[in-house]
């Protein structure tokens, strides 16, 4: 006798919020723009437009900082195009170590507050030891968006404010569940460490 067990597919992240459909349509259009350079350029423009659009309000939860780490809340994942939209919430002083994006392109936009973003240039590599040099930093305020295309993907993000929360929206080619982070060693040398990325509950 043949028995078929039906397992319900796990629902993809998809939070409801004002302007949800407008935001998703703008991202869908951009992701269909062509190669990764065309896609990320179109996404930067779309994200800048959506941040300023009064119809679009991210879910309330993404404005709540978490005390002991910056929050990563996935608010949407495209069932057809595969991209992932993650809202990050940065409490005062919270930030990342130098890290990569595991080979995925990404567009990041500052939704609220201000973030300090520093790009790093890879100078040389010896096994799991990497030599980086900071290659310019910027203060990004609301409505600014930047893109990362591997291999130019090494950077840090930090909320330098002593009392304000910052919120950024990140669109990844696919769900980013792990990355490499780089621990400072001597001089310009860092050691690569695998890091599993967790998401915080979004409601």
């Amino acid at each position: 006798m043949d028995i078929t067990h039906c397992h319900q597919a796990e629902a993809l992240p998809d939070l409801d919020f004002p302007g949800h459909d407008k935001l998703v349509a703008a991202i869908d259009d951009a992701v269909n723009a062509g190669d990764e350079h065309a896609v990320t350029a179109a996404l930067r423009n779309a994200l800048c437009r959506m941040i300023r659009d009064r119809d679009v309000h991210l879910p309330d939860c993404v404005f709540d900082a978490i005390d002991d780490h910056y929050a990563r809340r996935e608010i949407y994942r495209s069932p057809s195009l595969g991209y992932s939209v993650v809202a990050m919430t940065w409490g005062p002083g919270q930030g990342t170590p130098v890290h990569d994006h595991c080979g995925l392109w990404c567009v990041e936009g500052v939704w609220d507050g201000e973030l300090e973003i520093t790009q790093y240039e890879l100078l040389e590599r010896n096994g799991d030891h990497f030599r980086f040099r900071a290659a310019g930093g910027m203060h990004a305020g609301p409505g600014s968006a930047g893109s990362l295309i591997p291999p130019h993907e090494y950077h840090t993000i930090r909320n330098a404010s002593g009392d304000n929360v910052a919120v950024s929206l990140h669109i990844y080619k696919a769900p980013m569940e792990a990355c490499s982070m780089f621990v400072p060693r001597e001089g310009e040398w860092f050691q690569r460490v695998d890091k599993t990325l967790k998401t915080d509950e979004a409601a």
Side-chain angles (χ1 to χ4, degrees):
M1 181 170 66
D2 292 327
I3 299 174
T4 303
H5 293 284
C6 294
H7 294 285
Q8 188 170 354
E10 191 178 334
L12 297 178
D14 189 4
L15 259 65
D16 191 27
F17 53 89
H20 168 287
D21 293 354
K22 195 174 194 177
L23 178 66
V24 168
I27 298 173
D28 281 356
D29 281 352
V31 170
N32 283 315
D35 69 10
E36 59 191 12
H37 293 279
V39 166
T40 53
L43 275 174
R44 284 198 309 272
N45 291 333
L47 203 45
C48 288
R49 211 168 58 244
M50 291 298 105
I51 292 168
R52 293 186 170 92
D53 193 313
R54 296 182 182 280
D55 293 343
V56 182
H57 297 273
L58 294 183
D60 289 345
C61 67
V62 310
F63 296 94
D64 294 334
I66 295 175
D67 285 345
D68 63 347
H69 63 277
Y70 68 88
R72 295 180 82 249
R73 297 177 174 103
E74 190 174 13
I75 61 172
Y76 181 74
R77 192 182 301 175
S78 171
S80 55
L81 299 172
Y83 66 79
S84 167
V85 182
V86 175
M88 295 194 191
T89 315
W90 311 85
Q94 289 180 346
T96 71
V98 179
H99 65 283
D100 69 7
H101 277 181
C102 251
L104 301 174
W105 59 249
C106 173
V107 172
E108 307 176 334
V110 181
W111 202 275
D112 205 29
E114 192 174 271
L115 290 170
E116 204 172 75
I117 297 155
T118 306
Q119 297 288 134
Y120 284 82
E121 183 184 349
L122 178 59
L123 302 176
E124 59 180 303
R125 177 181 179 179
N126 181 5
D128 270 345
H129 288 78
F130 289 65
R131 186 171 154 238
F132 289 115
R133 182 171 296 161
M138 61 177 284
H139 285 276
S144 57
S147 53
L148 296 160
I149 301 174
H152 305 290
E153 57 181 323
Y154 304 106
H155 66 297
T156 60
I157 303 177
R158 180 169 168 264
N159 178 5
S161 170
D163 41 29
N164 294 326
V165 170
V167 175
S168 54
L169 201 65
H170 302 242
I171 302 159
Y172 298 99
K173 178 182 180 180
M176 193 167 99
E177 290 158 349
C179 72
S180 297
M181 66 177 201
F182 300 88
V183 180
R185 286 295 176 239
E186 201 171 304
E188 297 178 326
W189 286 93
F190 292 72
Q191 184 171 358
R192 188 178 76 83
V193 178
D194 289 328
K195 181 176 174 64
T196 300
L197 297 172
K198 297 182 169 60
T199 50
D200 297 292
E201 191 176 345

